Amino acid sequence: MFDKLTRTFSDVLRQVSGKSSISEKNIQDAVEEIKIALLEADVNLRVVRRFVNHTIEEARGEKVLRSVNPGQQFIKIVHDRMVNLLGSETEGLQLKGPDTLSPILFMGLQGSGKTTTCAKLALRLKKEGRKPLLVAADLVRPAAVKQLQLLGEQTGVPVFAVEGEKKPVKVVKQALSFAKKNSFNTMIVDTSGRMHLDDDLMKEIQEINSVLKPVEGLLVADAMTGQQAVEIAKEFNERVGITGVILSKFDSDTRGGAALSLKSVTKKPIKYVGVGEKIDELEQFHPDRMASRILGMGDVVSLVEKAQETIQEEEAEELQKKLQSSTFTLQDYLEQFTRIKKMGSLQSLVEMIPGMKGNIDEDALNSKEMKKEEAIILSMTLQERHNHRIIGPSRRKRIASGSGTSVFDVNRLLKKFDKMRLMMKKMTKNKKLQAQMLSQFNGNI
Ligand SMILES: Nc1nc2c(ncn2[C@@H]2O[C@H](COP(=O)(O)OP(=O)(O)OP(=O)(O)O)[C@@H](O)[C@H]2O)c(=O)[nH]1
Ligand SMILES: [Mg+2]
């Protein structure tokens, strides 16, 4: 997601940020490149035009051309516009208090991810201390009820279904009284999808909507469908009324245009994004963090939060010291593998680190490679792990055969480790660079 866009943005912004003075022509050129990148990312044409015009207008103002640091001012403008495009504020669900039932209606086209997302959200709300009930109101697809029941078992959230019932509205009515009687405070209703936006589907959803009176009407849209997702959201909003969008399959290799156009076109916020098939792969959508990520500035906040879940602060500090003083050993490297496994994919983590994107050999990040490296290090003695410089040719041969790899693999790991230590040392030492990056987004330039 956003790979190409980020690359273009990073290039453009890097060029601009280095300049001590900026001319109107510089701004024009930078904006032109940004425009092309947005169009290539399949962002809605009207949205792109508005973005470009606003950016030029603001950047032309004397503020940028005459400011002490015009490059940074310009970056800030682009960043703020991008946040604005994505929705300004993080918008959570507007649920009622714990003693009142909050019904949530899910809708969307066939295969967009409704059923999966219902269960993901139920699990999330349960973890937040609510008492959710899942309601199976997709009575069109034969296996739909069963699918929700299985997901209910996985998440430990009860599923309300009525055997033999053909009318979703009747199921919803019964579910409402069941939920109230059994003091559930959140009710998540899964509905059926259709291949296209047709009257049948709209009528069914409208009917359910008027009976359920949901506090949240959430549209699940498939990020992979690009601009079509925006059209679908517009239609559902006009005909049923939605309170927000959940963009599913955000983990897929799409150009990202949907995420960037949705808010501007529908005026409804993206509330969550689905980032995988697994039941816990649903994330709250943060426009500001996403903007920084798209601009290639790294999602520092997300990274820190994610890392903190697994690395205790002292450990992190110790690691930082080791990195700075070059006492980071292969044993430390090995220990990082375990942490990384706990944190999720290395790739997604790396993308969040400022300046790392594009700077690292992506092949080296796949887990197959990680397993190989793990095996190699495990075949080393502790002494070797603590001082890799003693690993000469005969040791390399022994390690290779011990780990079922080749001397070539061992050489490669050792070379990479040296390179990595050097790079990390540079990065951690360059506090000024880090501070600069952060201050750009604090609004206090
Ligand atoms: N990679 C990825 N796959 C997802 C995500 N969300 C859903 N899927 C997959 O998309 C497929 C369709 O998901 P469903 O939840 O059954 O979609 P639905 O909208 O309920 O489909 P219908 O009920 O047939 O209309 C499944 O294979 C899901 O595993 C996501 O965020 N990422
Ligand atoms: Mg479904």
Side-chain angles (χ1 to χ4, degrees):
M1 197 71 148
F2 297 129
D3 274 0
K4 180 134 190 292
L5 195 58
T6 299
R7 232 171 293 138
T8 313
F9 266 115
S10 310
D11 287 349
V12 173
L13 298 183
R14 201 175 311 129
Q15 279 167 25
V16 177
S17 68
K19 287 191 166 43
S20 53
S21 70
I22 283 188
S23 67
E24 263 200 41
K25 170 93 175 35
N26 294 145
I27 290 174
Q28 288 275 6
D29 290 348
V31 171
E32 185 59 27
E33 280 185 57
I34 290 172
K35 179 174 152 190
I36 294 168
L38 288 172
L39 289 173
E40 280 178 354
D42 191 31
V43 179
N44 183 294
L45 185 60
R46 245 181 310 154
V47 175
V48 174
R49 279 213 194 106
R50 221 177 305 145
F51 184 92
V52 164
N53 291 341
H54 277 138
T55 307
I56 292 185
E57 214 171 282
E58 274 182 61
R60 263 198 193 139
E62 297 194 11
K63 230 172 108 192
V64 168
L65 298 177
R66 295 225 182 125
S67 69
V68 187
N69 196 334
Q72 290 193 354
Q73 281 282 12
F74 180 73
I75 292 174
K76 181 161 179 359
I77 289 176
V78 175
H79 178 260
D80 289 352
R81 293 251 53 99
M82 185 63 86
V83 174
N84 191 275
L85 204 61
L86 292 162
S88 305
E89 308 260 304
T90 302
E91 303 217 27
L93 298 179
Q94 303 291 324
L95 302 181
K96 293 186 184 156
D99 302 325
T100 322
L101 181 64
S102 299
I104 302 173
L105 177 61
F106 268 69
M107 55 193 123
L109 289 195
Q110 199 171 75
S112 57
K114 291 178 298 301
T115 310
T116 317
T117 312
C118 276
K120 284 180 180 177
L121 187 66
L123 179 65
R124 207 187 156 94
L125 294 178
K126 187 178 143 191
K127 280 187 186 160
E128 287 171 13
R130 295 195 71 95
K131 201 176 165 211
L133 173 71
L134 283 161
V135 179
D138 174 3
L139 308 176
V140 176
R141 198 159 56 80
V145 176
K146 188 85 207 135
Q147 184 193 359
L148 193 65
Q149 281 166 337
L150 282 173
L151 287 165
E153 275 169 34
Q154 262 183 54
T155 51
V157 175
V159 176
F160 183 87
V162 185
E163 189 106 7
E165 181 55 65
K166 290 272 180 317
K167 287 202 154 195
V169 183
K170 288 199 174 158
V171 174
V172 170
K173 275 185 189 155
Q174 291 178 48
L176 274 170
S177 51
F178 177 84
K180 281 176 193 155
K181 210 178 285 167
N182 294 282
S183 47
F184 286 97
N185 58 18
T186 321
M187 193 171 120
I188 301 175
V189 180
D190 181 30
T191 61
S192 75
R194 303 279 196 283
M195 284 295 280
H196 306 284
L197 288 164
D198 60 21
D199 282 339
D200 268 3
L201 171 69
M202 286 301 172
K203 268 200 202 115
E204 183 177 305
I205 302 284
Q206 281 165 346
E207 221 181 328
I208 297 175
N209 192 51
S210 59
V211 169
L212 188 65
K213 300 192 179 59
V215 292
E216 289 280 353
L218 299 174
L219 174 84
V220 180
D222 183 337
M224 277 172 21
T225 58
Q227 283 313 296
Q228 206 200 335
V230 182
E231 286 311 309
I232 292 163
K234 212 170 141 208
E235 185 82 8
F236 270 97
N237 191 37
E238 279 162 14
R239 295 180 67 170
V240 189
I242 60 174
T243 56
V245 179
I246 298 183
L247 215 45
S248 67
K249 307 181 198 175
F250 208 66
D251 49 312
S252 60
D253 189 19
T254 77
R255 291 174 291 163
L260 288 163
S261 322
L262 259 165
K263 177 73 199 251
S264 297
V265 176
T266 65
K267 308 274 178 270
K268 299 292 172 184
I270 300 174
K271 297 204 167 179
Y272 293 95
V273 287
V275 292
E277 295 198 40
K278 285 198 228 89
I279 204 72
D280 59 349
E281 290 178 312
L282 181 75
E283 287 177 5
Q284 185 147 33
F285 186 72
H286 300 288
D288 51 345
R289 298 184 194 179
M290 191 56 70
S292 304
R293 209 146 129 188
I294 293 173
L295 299 186
M297 306 310 288
D299 188 349
V300 186
V301 192
S302 294
L303 176 70
V304 171
E305 275 180 5
K306 209 167 186 179
Q308 267 173 354
E309 284 173 15
T310 36
I311 305 184
Q312 294 298 320
E313 251 174 60
E314 301 116 69
E315 273 180 81
E317 235 170 64
E318 196 187 318
L319 190 64
Q320 173 98 357
K321 265 190 219 138
K322 279 185 175 170
L323 289 173
Q324 264 169 350
S325 62
S326 268
T327 52
F328 183 68
T329 66
L330 278 166
Q331 179 65 27
D332 298 317
Y333 185 52
L334 182 68
E335 282 164 16
Q336 293 313 305
F337 284 156
T338 340
R339 296 207 178 100
I340 286 160
K341 272 187 215 148
K342 272 195 244 163
M343 279 191 257
S345 108
L346 189 55
Q347 182 72 51
S348 69
L349 265 166
V350 165
E351 282 179 10
M352 293 184 198
I353 306 174
M356 281 295 259
K357 209 173 158 80
N359 264 339
I360 210 152
D361 177 11
E362 303 207 352
D363 286 342
L365 291 175
N366 62 37
S367 56
K368 219 165 100 195
E369 188 70 15
M370 224 166 87
K371 276 196 198 114
K372 206 187 235 178
E373 292 190 348
E374 199 174 2
I376 293 174
I377 303 175
L378 285 171
S379 294
M380 294 176 184
T381 64
L382 264 184
Q383 199 196 5
E384 286 163 347
R385 286 183 215 172
H386 284 300
N387 182 11
H388 67 291
R389 301 208 187 278
I390 64 168
I391 308 177
S394 65
R395 286 181 191 249
R396 289 180 193 213
K397 227 187 209 162
R398 190 207 78 235
I399 293 166
S401 67
S403 58
T405 60
S406 64
V407 174
F408 175 79
D409 288 325
V410 179
N411 287 343
R412 196 170 57 171
L413 167 68
L414 292 173
K415 222 188 241 161
K416 184 179 129 186
F417 180 68
D418 263 334
K419 206 172 121 194
M420 194 176 84
R421 259 172 38 132
L422 200 70
M423 198 168 84
M424 286 183 160
K425 200 175 163 194
K426 264 197 216 149
M427 272 190 53
T428 50
K429 275 218 168 136
N430 203 341
K431 284 260 182 311
K432 208 173 137 211
L433 183 78
Q434 288 178 2
Q436 250 179 14
M437 279 180 165
L438 285 171
S439 76
Q440 279 164 11
F441 301 115
N442 288 341
N444 54 359
I445 302 163

